[in-house]
Amino acid sequence: MKLIELPYAIDALEPVISAQTLSFHHGKHLQTYVDNLNKLIAGTEYETMPLEQIVSKAPAGPLFNNAGQVLNHNMYFTQFSPNPATAPTGRLAAQIEKQWGSVDAFKAEFEAKGVGLFGSGWVWLQSDASGELSIAQYANADNPVAHGFKPLLTFDVWEHAYYLDYQNRRAAQLKELWKIVEWKVIESRYNP
Ligand code: MN
């Protein structure tokens, strides 16, 4: 497993996410999860599995935690852009409007679930096999893949994701992140 490359410059997401935060979050935190995962899978049945399959099959413990964190961060970092399409369109937009009434109402519930998650974890927009959407809170390294859902959009609410830029103000960080969410990426995950 290799550390993913960021699809933008290290300072491209400023001021929403600073270059300093990105350099630690991607270059140190994610790198550590990748290194730990590679040590854990070496010489095992997991060594040649795709990442999503490792997450689905790993027992609770260090292997699941490190594989889950690599998957979560890979999807987190690749969903942002400095010049994003700032609203969903097409089938995804229609489904959000059907279930929440508006994109703004969806965003409000997503932020509230991120703020309300106690401790470290992730808030996700996920879909089931029929295309029905839901917002879910997952603790620590857990994620939709481990529960049979398709992962679409995620905000990282571990303190390492925002503390250098926002200190304790998790809600402020979550509100700002919408400015850099690339909805074309979220749509491509929903409509592969
Ligand atoms: Mn993180």
Side-chain angles (χ1 to χ4, degrees):
M1 222 63 70
K2 283 190 176 159
L3 180 69
I4 54 149
E5 286 182 30
L6 296 175
Y8 37 74
I10 197 78
D11 61 353
L13 303 182
E14 292 194 338
V16 177
I17 302 175
S18 70
Q20 188 188 25
T21 288
L22 259 188
S23 68
F24 277 98
H25 199 184
H26 173 261
K28 305 290 184 190
H29 289 280
L30 178 52
Q31 181 72 63
T32 299
Y33 295 128
V34 169
D35 292 345
N36 288 342
L37 177 60
N38 285 332
K39 282 179 205 154
L40 289 162
I41 63 177
T44 76
E45 59 178 315
Y46 297 100
E47 191 164 18
T48 55
M49 278 183 199
L51 182 56
E52 290 212 359
Q53 202 178 343
I54 299 175
V55 170
S56 298
K57 294 197 168 193
L63 179 60
F64 178 81
N65 290 340
N66 285 283
Q69 284 295 73
V70 174
L71 177 69
N72 293 342
H73 285 95
N74 286 357
M75 299 201 72
Y76 175 78
F77 287 125
T78 57
Q79 73 190 356
F80 296 130
S81 160
N83 292 297
T86 54
T89 60
R91 182 171 161 255
L92 179 58
Q95 189 65 30
I96 288 173
E97 280 159 23
K98 181 182 160 197
Q99 291 189 234
W100 281 276
S102 69
V103 174
D104 283 346
F106 156 75
K107 287 180 178 176
E109 184 185 330
F110 195 88
E111 287 175 37
K113 288 211 164 138
V115 171
L117 197 163
F118 186 80
S120 296
W122 301 78
V123 57
W124 280 92
L125 173 65
Q126 61 188 16
S127 69
D128 68 13
S130 73
E132 185 83 2
L133 300 169
S134 52
I135 300 171
Q137 298 168 315
Y138 290 104
N140 301 317
D142 201 8
N143 60 54
V145 173
H147 299 267
F149 291 95
K150 185 190 289 187
L152 302 177
L153 162 71
T154 190
F155 287 176
D156 185 346
V157 300
W158 285 60
E159 284 189 343
H160 69 224
Y162 58 87
Y163 210 84
L164 292 173
D165 297 334
Y166 298 85
Q167 296 77 48
N168 61 310
R169 293 172 292 119
R170 184 192 287 185
Q173 147 89 340
L174 299 188
K175 193 169 283 298
E176 289 298 296
L177 285 177
W178 297 117
K179 294 177 181 170
I180 54 170
V181 168
E182 175 51 85
W183 280 95
K184 283 185 200 146
V185 171
I186 313 308
E187 285 181 46
S188 71
R189 292 172 181 173
Y190 188 59
N191 310 302

